[in-house]
Amino acid sequence: MKQIVLVIALFYLIPYSCYSQNMLIKGKVLFQGEPVEYANVYVKGQGKGAVTDSLGRFTIALNETGTFTFQASMVGFQTSQQVVKLLNSGNSDLVFDLKEMDGGLDEVVVSGTMQEVSKLDSPVPVEVYSANFFRANPTPSVFESLQNVNGVRPQINCNVCNTGDIHINGLEGPYTMVLIDGMPIVSGLATVYGLTGIPQSLIDRIEVVKGPASTLYGSEAVGGLINVITKKPENAPSLSTDFFGTSWGEMNLDLGLRSNWGKNIQVLTGMNAFYYDNPIDNNSDGFTDVTLSKRISVFQKINVQRPGKRLFTLAGRYIYEDRWGGQMNWTTADRGGEEVYGESIYTSRWEAFGTWQLPTTENINFQFSANGHNQNSTYGTTRYNADQYIGFSQLTWTKTAQKHGLLLGLAYRYTYYDDNTVATTKSDSDENAPSIIHLPGAFLQDEIKLTVNQSLLLGVRYDHNSIHGSIFSPRLNYKLSSTDKSMVFRFSAGNGFRVANVFTEDHAALTGAREVIFTEELRPEQSWNVNANLVKKIYTDNGTFIGLDGSAFYTYFTNRIIPDYESNPNQIIYANLDGSAVSKGVSLNLNAAWANGLNMTGGATLMDVSIEEEGIKSRQLLTERFSGVWSVGYEFFRLGLTVDYTGNVYSPMRLPLLGPLDDRPEFSSWYSLQNIQLTKKIGEKWEIYGGVKNLLNFTPPANSIARAFDPFDEGVLFGPNGNVIPTPGNPNALTFDPTYVFAPNQGIRGFLGVRFTVSD
């Protein structure tokens, strides 16, 4: 009987087996009619694929009928897809005709010239980082995301409140301009808070320009600029959600929604929510290792389709955050009190910006932005309340005439700042005196096509600051490329400036009533920069791509304004630096991809940043000599699984000591923050990801906060001039100080997240 059943089973299985073997899908991958070797062809949802041979041919075996999506991909080309319905026969001949792609190699950029141009055609070197680049190491804010960008370092400036800024090539945060869609709305008080709460699901890319860009963007673009480009509503998915949590208790949610308001209005809505309410003190200093935060941000972008395809976009964002750090037993009842130390910051901020193309035959655009920032904060017993309002408008006219590409612009910036400190009080009375600055300007740029492969960009800008007077900033950029654009050389020289803004949040200024002293009429800070950049793209016969991007830079910085809080404890003394500062070095970026699914990006920067005054040269505080970043990813096509390994490494930095008796090390140690992530695709809409951050569990020394046990300096003895006197209980003459910080206090932690995306 068993034999009969076996024969019957074989009778039915043999035809099915033969049928399965006959479901062979064959095809070719071509480019302009020529076969493409080592291209990847993958059947979505089936975990099956193949690599093309020398004739561009592939064969894939399937064991079932139905409708399938075939995808052909190759480094340097756009991914191509075909939907095929398979019935009871195989041997379907599929032909994929690939098109060249940007793939991160030739993106459209706007930051270098204020006009959309190919990255390779831009005479200004611009680094572009897509949203996928940042997905390899998901973070709750753009501020943290930038840790894997070569030559760019997020610097935490306070161990308690965890505020910080962005360094580019060693220059500090005030010299980095941050833009959103080209609008300078992140500055002053918002340097940190403006980089949090941007829904990352709505970010299309981030462009980085290293070196002065004041000719186009004006004040603050001295060290460079970071331009966060949000997605166009027509290109965004219908719905996107991204939620992840960590083993420390952090939770972050991003939402994105595309909708239509009638036939001509497209809307992109986004929301970001972050929640962390789990005090942790792993270094046992009595203070929270990471600031607790509750944040909500709402973003809306509207695109109106107008006659003649003229542009009109309008966007807005609101963010509210409640953050605090301090002693572990702090509660809101202790806010501003002298019993338990805490730093509590309530931030309310709104932003609006947009672009309107005038209804004329000429290409004239009106750009505008406005923002308001309200901050209510306490640092121990010191209260700091501030309001800042910035309005910006800009009119640009572009014209192409023969070999010239002209850009003419008129700009105006209004800045209002007021706080509850003596910084905005008249020196001869107690009358409040908010800071109001008017900054009108004009700029002209001409891109000259010398030959097919050569271009010269000349630019000049004039601004008139209501306090500092006239400011002039020129620039020159030269580009030479090979015929096939596989090699591009650029040379840049220019001037950057930053108008003196002494009214900003500074912990040292909040330690009591001080008289503001100006020893001279402050002059705008200026920098002169030269930069040489070489880009080389290499394609090998086996489908491998290698991209090299190297630069050498030199920036000479004058008129730097440094507030002096030490000469007299009752005064804040402002004066221009009697000397200069220099940032010089070399950097190299590497981008490589293999046909088997392996890709790698990496970078290294070697630099020297120093300050010289009265013949004495010193190394700038909190600036590394060497830094390196990397991101290695591998995609298992058959499993729908991606592995990403990211990290950075920094050489020692000079740290701020409190005096000659401070026994803490003057320099930090080498340190590295490394992360690993696994991402699994489930169908077309779902992704699950998880991994480990800070694999090496690196944290700064436990004594980073000086006298953490005495935050109100009750055991500190001060002399008549305000200096600290050594005592048996304080032999190193220290005061409570949280600024001895160079890396995050957050150790190793796991994370798990899920993404859901509906494209149509």
Side-chain angles (χ1 to χ4, degrees):
M1 186 65 183
K2 293 183 179 179
Q3 288 81 358
I4 295 175
V5 173
L6 179 60
V7 171
I8 295 174
L10 290 175
F11 176 79
Y12 283 101
L13 289 175
I14 288 174
Y16 179 77
S17 176
C18 294
Y19 164 76
S20 299
Q21 293 175 359
N22 289 333
M23 287 296 295
L24 298 178
I25 311 303
K26 298 181 180 180
K28 288 185 178 182
V29 178
L30 306 175
F31 171 63
Q32 296 181 351
E34 298 296 325
V36 177
E37 187 180 10
Y38 297 110
N40 287 297
V41 182
Y42 177 69
V43 186
K44 288 193 170 184
Q46 296 297 307
K48 293 188 176 183
V51 178
T52 57
D53 59 17
S54 60
L55 299 179
R57 300 176 302 190
F58 66 89
T59 301
I60 301 175
L62 293 176
N63 56 12
E64 59 181 302
T65 60
T67 301
F68 302 94
T69 300
F70 291 80
Q71 174 179 294
S73 61
M74 177 69 179
V75 174
F77 298 91
Q78 295 180 13
T79 297
S80 178
Q81 292 187 356
Q82 292 188 35
V83 178
V84 179
K85 186 175 183 180
L86 299 178
L87 300 175
N88 294 327
S89 61
N91 299 316
S92 298
D93 290 328
L94 300 181
V95 177
F96 293 91
D97 191 4
L98 299 184
K99 296 180 180 180
E100 287 185 293
M101 67 173 289
D102 49 46
L105 313 178
D106 192 20
E107 301 95 336
V108 172
V109 296
V110 296
S111 299
T113 61
M114 272 193 190
Q115 302 179 72
E116 287 195 347
V117 297
S118 160
K119 177 183 174 182
L120 292 177
D121 288 337
S122 172
V124 179
V126 181
E127 296 180 13
V128 183
Y129 299 90
S130 68
N132 286 335
F133 174 84
F134 298 106
R135 281 191 173 190
N137 180 31
T139 63
S141 70
V142 176
F143 177 79
E144 295 178 50
S145 295
L146 294 171
Q147 63 184 287
N148 285 331
V149 176
N150 185 27
V152 178
R153 184 171 66 85
Q155 168 62 43
I156 295 177
N157 295 327
C158 175
N159 265 312
V160 179
C161 63
N162 289 163
T163 56
D165 53 36
I166 304 295
H167 290 203
I168 294 182
N169 286 346
L171 293 179
E172 296 170 315
Y175 311 109
T176 299
M177 172 171 277
V178 181
L179 312 169
I180 298 181
D181 285 344
M183 291 291 96
I185 61 177
V186 181
S187 60
L189 283 175
T191 300
V192 175
Y193 309 105
L195 285 175
T196 60
I198 301 176
Q200 299 207 44
S201 60
L202 302 184
I203 295 177
D204 179 66
R205 66 187 187 273
I206 294 180
E207 300 180 2
V208 179
V209 176
K210 298 173 182 177
S214 293
T215 303
L216 284 184
Y217 295 97
S219 177
E220 297 176 24
V222 178
L225 66 88
I226 296 170
N227 193 359
V228 180
I229 308 293
T230 60
K231 293 178 180 178
K232 296 179 180 179
E234 61 269 24
N235 297 334
S238 300
L239 174 66
S240 61
T241 63
D242 189 342
F243 173 82
F244 74 86
T246 73
S247 57
W248 277 48
E250 301 159 297
M251 291 182 288
N252 185 79
L253 173 66
D254 273 334
L255 292 176
L257 176 66
R258 174 171 57 86
S259 59
N260 294 319
W261 294 355
K263 295 182 179 180
N264 300 321
I265 300 178
Q266 297 172 317
V267 181
L268 187 62
T269 304
M271 186 193 76
N272 170 259
F274 178 76
Y275 181 86
Y276 174 60
D277 194 28
N278 183 32
I280 294 177
D281 180 23
N282 286 340
N283 61 8
S284 302
D285 63 358
F287 277 73
T288 53
D289 290 343
V290 178
T291 302
L292 279 66
S293 174
K294 302 171 186 176
R295 181 177 69 238
I296 185 72
S297 174
V298 180
F299 176 89
Q300 185 113 18
K301 186 175 185 178
I302 301 173
N303 183 29
V304 181
Q305 296 180 357
R306 300 169 57 210
K309 296 183 179 181
R310 291 187 177 91
L311 179 67
F312 178 55
T313 62
L314 180 65
R317 183 169 72 115
Y318 175 77
I319 179 173
Y320 177 80
E321 183 182 43
D322 174 4
R323 67 159 62 189
W324 78 268
Q327 291 181 292
M328 293 290 290
N329 58 337
W330 187 91
T331 66
T332 54
D334 298 306
R335 194 174 195 265
E338 56 184 15
E339 298 295 327
V340 182
Y341 187 90
E343 298 187 0
S344 172
I345 304 170
Y346 301 150
T347 301
S348 178
R349 176 176 174 81
W350 61 266
E351 303 163 349
F353 53 95
T355 300
W356 178 56
Q357 185 176 355
L358 273 62
T360 64
T361 55
E362 297 292 332
N363 188 6
I364 302 176
N365 289 301
F366 176 69
Q367 297 172 296
F368 54 92
S369 69
N371 64 78
H373 188 105
N374 174 266
Q375 186 163 318
N376 179 342
S377 51
T378 61
Y379 302 88
T381 58
T382 302
R383 294 185 177 273
Y384 176 77
N385 300 320
D387 292 295
Q388 178 178 272
Y389 301 97
I390 298 177
F392 175 82
S393 62
Q394 182 169 270
L395 191 67
T396 62
W397 172 70
T398 57
K399 185 73 172 181
T400 301
Q402 295 182 348
K403 295 184 177 181
H404 294 266
L406 296 174
L407 172 66
L408 175 64
L410 300 174
Y412 171 75
R413 183 171 179 174
Y414 168 86
T415 303
Y416 171 94
Y417 176 84
D418 188 22
D419 64 25
N420 65 321
T421 73
V422 294
T424 54
T425 303
K426 289 185 178 180
S427 58
D428 55 350
S429 67
D430 293 332
E431 183 181 351
N432 189 43
S435 167
I436 298 177
I437 299 177
H438 301 275
L439 187 63
F443 55 90
L444 175 64
Q445 174 182 280
D446 185 12
E447 183 177 352
I448 307 169
K449 293 290 185 181
L450 302 176
T451 66
V452 176
N453 301 321
Q454 294 185 78
S455 64
L456 179 67
L457 180 70
L458 302 175
V460 64
R461 183 184 182 106
Y462 171 80
D463 290 271
H464 187 274
N465 185 275
S466 57
I467 296 177
H468 305 289
S470 298
I471 304 169
F472 180 76
S473 52
R475 76 163 172 174
L476 175 150
N477 299 86
Y478 171 76
K479 181 184 72 70
L480 172 65
S481 62
S482 60
T483 303
D484 61 358
K485 295 186 179 181
S486 64
M487 181 178 293
V488 180
F489 171 77
R490 297 180 178 91
F491 176 81
S492 306
N495 167 261
F497 73 90
R498 188 175 77 95
V499 297
N501 183 7
V502 301
F503 309 102
T504 186
E505 181 182 358
D506 192 319
H507 286 76
L510 305 176
T511 56
R514 289 172 178 258
E515 182 183 4
V516 179
I517 302 295
F518 296 91
T519 61
E520 59 183 346
E521 183 178 350
L522 298 180
R523 303 180 300 278
E525 302 171 296
Q526 291 186 336
S527 70
W528 288 93
N529 172 273
V530 292
N531 183 298
N533 172 255
L534 180 64
V535 176
K536 174 63 178 176
K537 299 191 301 180
I538 303 171
Y539 294 94
T540 66
D541 293 336
N542 63 358
T544 299
F545 165 77
I546 299 176
L548 298 172
D549 187 339
S551 295
F553 58 90
Y554 181 91
T555 302
Y556 184 82
F557 196 81
T558 60
N559 292 346
R560 187 170 179 180
I561 299 171
I562 301 178
D564 178 7
Y565 302 96
E566 299 175 342
S567 297
N568 189 319
N570 299 313
Q571 295 178 340
I572 308 174
I573 303 173
Y574 288 98
N576 286 106
L577 176 69
D578 186 16
S580 61
V582 171
S583 172
K584 57 184 177 181
V586 294
S587 67
L588 177 65
N589 288 323
L590 169 68
N591 184 14
W594 289 263
N596 62 0
L598 177 65
N599 63 81
M600 179 180 69
T601 61
T605 299
L606 182 65
M607 62 184 177
D608 178 20
V609 184
S610 60
I611 299 174
E612 184 173 349
E613 187 172 23
E614 297 180 353
I616 300 176
K617 182 179 179 180
S618 60
R619 183 174 165 184
Q620 182 173 291
L621 288 171
L622 297 171
T623 302
E624 68 280 2
R625 290 282 178 87
F626 172 84
S627 66
V629 296
W630 65 85
S631 177
V632 181
Y634 185 80
E635 183 175 357
F636 296 89
F637 294 104
R638 297 179 182 274
L639 300 177
L641 183 69
T642 302
V643 180
D644 292 294
Y645 170 53
T646 60
N648 52 47
V649 60
Y650 298 102
S651 67
M653 312 174 196
R654 191 166 73 90
L655 302 176
L657 299 178
L658 294 179
L661 298 179
D662 193 334
D663 60 348
R664 294 175 296 177
E666 183 182 2
F667 288 90
S668 66
S669 60
W670 282 82
Y671 77 94
S672 176
L673 303 178
Q674 303 178 23
N675 322 284
I676 192 165
Q677 174 185 253
L678 298 177
T679 303
K680 170 64 177 177
K681 294 182 179 179
I682 303 176
E684 296 292 323
K685 300 177 181 179
W686 291 91
E687 274 187 357
I688 297 178
Y689 60 93
V692 179
K693 289 180 177 290
N694 196 357
L695 284 166
L696 304 181
N697 196 28
F698 175 84
T699 55
N703 63 348
S704 294
I705 301 179
R707 291 184 66 83
F709 59 89
D710 185 20
F712 297 101
D713 289 336
E714 295 176 351
V716 178
L717 181 63
F718 293 91
N721 60 353
N723 294 331
V724 180
I725 299 176
T727 62
N730 186 19
N732 301 112
L734 303 179
T735 60
F736 172 76
D737 180 68
T739 62
Y740 184 90
V741 57
F742 60 92
N745 277 321
Q746 200 169 18
I748 188 171
R749 59 205 181 276
F751 66 96
L752 181 65
V754 60
R755 298 187 183 100
F756 176 74
T757 305
V758 179
S759 298
D760 296 317

